[in-house]
Amino acid sequence: MIERVLTATIIRYLLPGKVIILRGPRRVGKTVLAEFIASQSQGVLLFNGEDIATHELLERRSAQHYKQIIGHHKMLIIDEAQKVTRIGEVLKLIVDNLPHLKILISGSSAFDLHSRTGEPLTGRSYTFTLYPLAEEELYRSERPSDRKDNLMARLIFGSYPELIQLPAREQKEKYLRELLNTYLLRDILALENIRNSSKILNLLRLISYQVGSEVSYNELGSSLGMSKNTVEKYLDLLQKVFILHKIEAFSKNMRKEIVKSSRWYFLDNGIRNAVIANFNWLDTRDDVGKLWENYIIAERLKFQEYHGIHANNFFWRTYDRQEVDWVEERDGKMFGYEFKWGNKKTKVPPAWKKNYPQAEFNVIHQDNYREWIG
């Protein structure tokens, strides 16, 4: 099993009287991680929220009842916890009456576990997000001679744990198509009772071609025959299920800076390529720059989450088309980054240098990207 970076962090935060909430898209390994943590501990009680027996056990909300169920166990793990009715109230009662107990719950982001735990667990929980495999997790098990080829494969097929184990190209393609249609899109339809998945797919296709560019909700709506508000609603849902991630424009209201704009990225390149049905190798594609930018941003988001880096992320552009792909505000400083697949010299945009002379500027390319993503 590939060791997940979050494992040590979760174990460190897994304290009596607190609830660890592990969320993330389907098929990224939340259950495997929870079971591994259980295997490293003693006195663990493990429930599955999809099991009707679990519902029946937890349905009777009584402190005495929960004490009898849990007994002398030291840790409670509930997988797929969003399926348990009023799970937030159940957990609050358990935490308040069994203060010695360590609790870990996991669930699909499609049902926004926070909305089901929400207020009852205020001040009682820590939330972590698990993504598809991070490159820093794969790096340890790769042979140095394979790393470049593996990187190019990830630009095409992404990093879902099960997919990495599949030997054949055809198997990887089939896995991604089924993951998109069977799990991810189905979750969105269930979440908002949306009946027509074709609208969502068409929206994703348009977004996939605009990776690294500003998105106009009005133009998307016009192309899809839906309102601007509906476009925004669907994009919000796609972000909640961790298919997409939104980045907004950075500005300190300088006269020529774009302010009200956003860019959207896929959190896995394989899903992006499944949406447009293109798994061709890099040497035959005209979107390598988009694939590289999308990949490196997804990896940076994983790195920030797993290492507790608190940053505000933006892009920056002026109306005369000077731009910086990625801007981070952290620790009272500003950092600008440009992404290039090839190791090409890139000049600092004059307007960026003039307006933000104290900000750092770096180009992230194949030869130095490892330093940036762990």
Side-chain angles (χ1 to χ4, degrees), residues 149-175:
D149 287 338
N150 289 345
L151 170 62
M152 291 190 287
R154 286 193 289 271
L155 292 183
I156 302 299
F157 297 111
S159 307
Y160 272 83
E162 291 172 301
L163 178 137
I164 294 293
Q165 311 300 324
L166 298 175
R169 176 191 181 94
E170 294 77 12
Q171 291 175 299
K172 295 179 187 290
E173 293 180 12
K174 182 175 177 60
Y175 177 88

Side-chain angles (χ1 to χ4, degrees), residues 151-340:
L151 170 62
M152 291 190 287
R154 286 193 289 271
L155 292 183
I156 302 299
F157 297 111
S159 307
Y160 272 83
E162 291 172 301
L163 178 137
I164 294 293
Q165 311 300 324
L166 298 175
R169 176 191 181 94
E170 294 77 12
Q171 291 175 299
K172 295 179 187 290
E173 293 180 12
K174 182 175 177 60
Y175 177 88
L176 287 167
R177 286 193 297 268
E178 292 190 354
L179 178 64
L180 177 64
N181 293 303
T182 305
Y183 289 104
L184 304 181
L185 291 180
R186 187 182 68 183
D187 281 348
I188 296 174
L189 302 183
L191 182 64
E192 287 291 324
N193 197 26
I194 299 170
R195 296 184 179 179
N196 190 355
S197 63
S198 64
K199 292 282 188 181
I200 296 285
L201 265 176
N202 289 336
L203 175 59
L204 278 173
R205 287 191 186 99
L206 292 179
I207 292 295
S208 69
Y209 292 119
Q210 296 184 42
V211 164
S213 302
E214 287 89 279
V215 165
S216 166
Y217 300 134
N218 285 322
E219 289 180 7
L220 289 172
S222 177
S223 298
L224 296 168
M226 63 176 69
S227 69
K228 171 179 175 288
N229 289 341
T230 301
V231 169
E232 291 187 87
K233 173 186 175 183
Y234 284 1
L235 287 173
D236 181 61
L237 290 175
L238 288 163
Q239 183 166 234
K240 283 181 177 177
V241 299
F242 290 91
I243 294 178
L244 297 179
H245 185 80
K246 179 183 181 182
I247 300 295
E248 296 183 335
F250 175 84
S251 173
K252 289 194 174 178
N253 293 317
M254 304 295 181
R255 186 165 58 89
K256 292 184 178 181
E257 289 178 332
I258 288 175
V259 180
K260 295 181 179 180
S261 188
S262 60
R263 294 179 178 179
W264 291 83
Y265 295 91
F266 285 76
L267 283 171
D268 186 79
N269 274 37
I271 296 300
R272 187 260 183 184
N273 289 326
V275 167
I276 61 174
N278 185 355
F279 296 104
N280 292 337
W281 292 120
L282 299 184
D283 57 2
T284 64
R285 301 181 69 131
D286 60 3
D287 60 350
V288 178
K290 292 181 186 294
L291 292 174
W292 175 242
E293 183 171 340
N294 193 90
Y295 177 80
I296 206 68
I297 284 176
E299 289 298 313
R300 183 62 175 179
L301 291 171
K302 296 173 191 177
F303 183 76
Q304 289 177 345
E305 168 71 15
Y306 295 166
H307 295 278
I309 296 175
H310 303 289
N312 296 319
N313 301 318
F314 305 94
F315 72 91
W316 175 86
R317 193 166 81 88
T318 64
Y319 285 103
D320 58 0
R321 297 187 178 278
Q322 296 183 55
E323 67 176 74
V324 176
D325 290 334
W326 187 261
V327 176
E328 288 186 15
E329 273 188 327
R330 51 183 162 86
D331 302 323
K333 299 178 182 179
M334 282 180 54
F335 304 83
Y337 302 95
E338 192 74 12
F339 305 125
K340 298 294 182 183

Side-chain angles (χ1 to χ4, degrees), residues 6 10 20-23 30 33 104-107 113 128 130:
L6 264 183
I10 289 175
I20 297 296
I21 300 173
L22 179 61
R23 64 179 186 173
K30 297 185 300 297
L33 178 53
L104 167 64
I105 66 171
S106 66
L113 201 49
F128 298 95
L130 189 67

